[in-house]
Structures are given as structure tokens and as C-alpha cells.
């Protein structure tokens, strides 16, 4: 009998989709991320992961964006060995173990209480890895996180589930609390109503779970968050479609992703945005 999940809210359960996608990638002969710990975590949880109906394209995208965020965290902690890393809406993500930062770095994983309980029960403890039970809708999430060290904040698969005032609150609070650092996250560009409706109509459970929790349609222009907080300056917009790891995508997903490089809209639909402050 694995760890029970019946008490988790639907928003917390969205963490199972991304964790399972990374687990599936790790089983492939040519993984993109190769996070075998994700597969171990999945194996400890009493949940019908296969019933989610996770698509191959979702496995590819989830694994690649985690890899791209890991690379940016690695570069930041290399430059700032006294950094704090803060994973917003961390779910079960084992980024800390993949990046393996030096012992001078502290890593904070912020999420809601139910999923943090599953996280703490499934991931190995480490002195520099700290779980923070908090809602990002409340500024108190930074209580207890050092403000005077260079901060690398990341969010993977989070902002589409928060409404705009909450996102703006996070973006403004970051520079009030932390003295300097960066914020990097995955982004889908502007999600039109047709896409949102299609997600709800797909038969797979994963689309229904995600579609029912969508709260923010997003933005096209990567400079848009600078209007929420001018102290955040866009320093990078990187499309997943242009990453070298696309060559590891299986068959038709690789071909379709290569083709999508020719469309500005498609490039924007899967991107990593990074801001400095
Ligand atoms: C799709 S999951 C992504 C989890 C993780 N980043 C990953 O890549 O596996 C979204 C996560 O955001 C968390 N979340 C949503 N709203 C939140 C809030 N207001 N405060 C903190 N975490 C929140 C959920 O509990 C969930 O773990």
C-alpha cells in the first residue's frame, strides 16, 4: 500500500501529472531529463498515474522544461555559491537532487500543506533542502527564507493555475523580500479560449484535471511582467522548440516540434522566461 492521496485538493493533484511525466521520461532508452528519483517517488504513492493518460508530447515538454530550468539554476549557483534557490509550487519535483548544488546553497520548496506532506514522505531528507508550507497567495511564504543572499526563484507548471492578482502579488513581493536575484519559469504564451475549451474536451483525465484548474490565460509579450514590477527585467526568452534536446524526442513529436520552430506563436507556446532584479 503506497502513500494515500485522497486528502489532496485538485490543485495539489496537478503535481502528479508533472511528476509522472518526468518518471516516464526516466524509463526511456534516451531520456531527456533522466530523473530516476521521480520514478521512485511515483512508485511510493497510491495513485492511478497511468489513468492520467499522459501524452508522449507532454512527457517531452515536461522533461525538457525541467532540464532547461535546472541548467539555469546550475549557472546561477555556480556564479553565486552562497545562493538560495526557491522553487515556487514545487510539488514533488526533485530538482534539488538533479542539480546537486554545493553545500553552501540552501534550497526552499514552497507548496500547499497536503502535497508538501507527500513530498516529505517520498523524497530523501537533505540538510540544505527545506520544505515550506505556504500559499503563494499570501506574502508570508517568504518568512524564514533569507533575504540577503542571491536568490534564484523558479516556477515550473505553476502560473497557469493562479489568477492574475495572485501572480502580480508574487512578482511584486519577490523584489520586496529578496535583495537581488533572478526569477525563471515556464510559460505558454497567451492561451486562447479555443485552446482552453479543447483541453476540457479531450478525453484523457490529465487534460480534464488541468483544464478544470486553469486560472490565467497568460500573455504574448515576455516584457509584460515588467509592467507588474519594473524592477524585474527580462533577460531571456528561450523556446523549448529550439533546444538541442528536441533531437531526443521520439518520432512524430520530434518532427512536429522541429516544424513548429517556424511559427512565432508555436515557439511562444513552450518557453522559459527569465528575469533579473
Ligand atoms: C502542475 S503542479 C507543478 C509542480 C512542480 N512544480 C512540478 O514541476 O512538478 C502545480 C503546483 O502548484 C502548487 N500550487 C498551486 N497553487 C498554489 C498556491 N497558491 N500556493 C502554493 N502552491 C500552489 C500545487 O499544489 C502544485 O504542486
Amino acid at each position: 500500500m503506497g502513500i494515500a492521496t485522497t486528502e489532496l485538493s485538485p490543485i495539489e493533484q496537478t503535481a502528479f501529472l508533472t511528476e509522472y511525466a518526468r518518471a516516464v521520461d526516466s524509463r526511456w532508452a534516451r531520456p531527456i531529463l533522466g530523473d530516476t528519483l521521480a520514478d521512485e517517488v511515483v512508485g511510493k504513492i497510491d495513485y492511478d498515474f497511468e489513468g492520467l493518460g499522459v501524452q508522449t508530447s507532454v512527457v517531452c515538454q515536461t522533461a525538457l522544461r525541467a532540464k532547461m530550468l535546472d541548467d539555469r539554476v546550475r549557472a546561477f549557483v555556480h556564479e553565486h555559491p552562497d545562493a538560495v534557490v526557491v522553487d515556487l509550487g514545487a510539488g514533488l519535483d526533485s530538482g534539488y537532487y538533479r542539480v546537486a548544488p554545493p553545500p553552501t546553497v540552501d534550497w526552499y520548496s514552497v507548496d500547499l500543506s497536503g502535497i508538501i506532506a507527500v513530498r516529505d514522505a517520498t523524497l530523501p531528507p537533505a540538510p540544505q533542502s527545506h520544505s515550506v508550507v505556504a500559499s503563494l497567495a499570501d506574502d508570508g511564504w517568504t518568512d524564514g527564507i533569507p533575504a540577503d543572499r542571491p536568490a534564484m526563484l523558479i516556477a515550473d507548471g505553476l502560473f497557469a493555475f493562479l489568477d492574475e492578482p495572485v501572480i502580480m502579488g508574487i512578482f511584486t513581493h519577490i523584489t520586496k523580500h529578496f535583495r537581488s536575484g533572478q526569477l525563471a519559469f515556464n510559460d505558454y504564451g497567451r492561451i486562447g479560449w479555443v485552446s482552453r475549451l479543447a483541453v476540457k474536451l479531450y478525453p484523457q483525465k490529465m487534460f480534464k484535471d488541468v483544464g478544470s484548474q486553469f486560472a490565467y490565460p497568460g500573455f504574448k509579450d515576455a516584457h509584460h511582467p515588467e509592467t507588474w514590477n519594473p524592477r524585474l527585467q527580462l533577460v531571456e526568452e528561450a523556446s523549448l522548440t529550439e533546444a538541442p534536446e528536441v533531437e531526443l524526442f521520439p518520432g512524430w513529436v520530434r518532427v512536429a516540434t522541429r516544424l513548429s520552430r517556424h511559427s512565432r506563436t508555436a515557439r511562444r507556446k513552450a518557453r522559459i522566461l527569465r528575469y533579473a532584479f
Side-chain angles (χ1 to χ4, degrees), residues 29 38 40 55 57 59 64 72 89 140 156 175 233 240 246 250:
E40 283 176 38
Q55 311 287 286
S57 57
V59 172
L64 178 51
R72 279 137 187 90
D156 190 355
T175 61
Q233 292 293 308
L240 271 65
V246 169

Side-chain angles (χ1 to χ4, degrees), residues 19 22-24 26-27 35-44:
E19 184 69 352
R22 289 185 292 264
V24 171
S26 78
R27 298 171 194 163
D35 186 348
T36 52
L37 186 52
D39 204 18
E40 283 176 38
V41 167
V42 160
K44 291 179 188 172

Side-chain angles (χ1 to χ4, degrees), residues 2-209:
I3 290 165
T5 56
T6 45
E7 300 294 309
L8 295 185
S9 63
I11 189 67
E12 289 176 309
Q13 290 186 29
T14 61
F16 292 146
L17 166 61
T18 40
E19 184 69 352
Y20 184 58
R22 289 185 292 264
V24 171
D25 164 74
S26 78
R27 298 171 194 163
W28 287 352
R30 296 195 317 154
I32 298 150
L33 182 69
D35 186 348
T36 52
L37 186 52
D39 204 18
E40 283 176 38
V41 167
V42 160
K44 291 179 188 172
I45 298 172
D46 185 15
Y47 185 79
D48 179 15
F49 288 97
E50 284 191 19
L52 287 168
V54 173
Q55 311 287 286
T56 303
S57 57
V58 172
V59 172
C60 292
Q61 285 226 1
T62 308
L64 178 51
R65 70 192 201 208
K67 169 120 193 335
M68 290 173 74
L69 287 170
D70 286 358
D71 289 345
R72 279 137 187 90
V73 175
R74 278 192 196 96
F76 190 87
V77 300
H78 181 73
E79 202 178 325
H80 305 283
D82 58 336
V84 291
V85 179
V86 186
D87 188 353
L88 307 172
L92 306 174
D93 191 10
S94 35
Y96 167 80
Y97 306 88
R98 295 191 302 268
V99 170
T104 45
V105 167
D106 280 288
W107 189 298
Y108 295 84
S109 300
V110 183
D111 211 307
L112 303 170
S113 59
I115 198 74
I116 288 287
V118 179
R119 178 182 179 86
D120 290 347
T122 52
L123 283 164
Q128 306 143 256
S129 170
H130 316 279
S131 294
V132 178
V133 172
S135 170
L136 292 158
D138 167 358
D139 286 350
W141 63 268
T142 45
D143 294 353
I145 306 181
D148 56 351
R149 290 162 60 182
M152 180 76 203
L153 299 113
I154 49 171
D156 190 355
L158 171 70
F159 291 129
F161 299 114
L162 304 179
D163 59 27
E164 189 163 1
V166 172
I167 301 171
M168 288 169 69
I170 295 168
F171 278 58
T172 48
H173 183 63
I174 283 172
T175 61
K176 282 189 192 145
H177 181 79
F178 299 101
R179 208 167 56 194
S180 65
Q182 295 187 4
L183 166 67
F185 57 93
N186 78 299
D187 184 73
Y188 312 103
R190 179 89 186 163
I191 310 167
W193 69 268
V194 177
S195 305
R196 274 178 278 157
L197 181 66
V199 163
K200 284 188 184 152
L201 295 178
Y202 278 125
Q204 290 87 356
K205 182 173 184 301
M206 68 151 273
F207 288 115
K208 293 198 187 314
D209 289 359

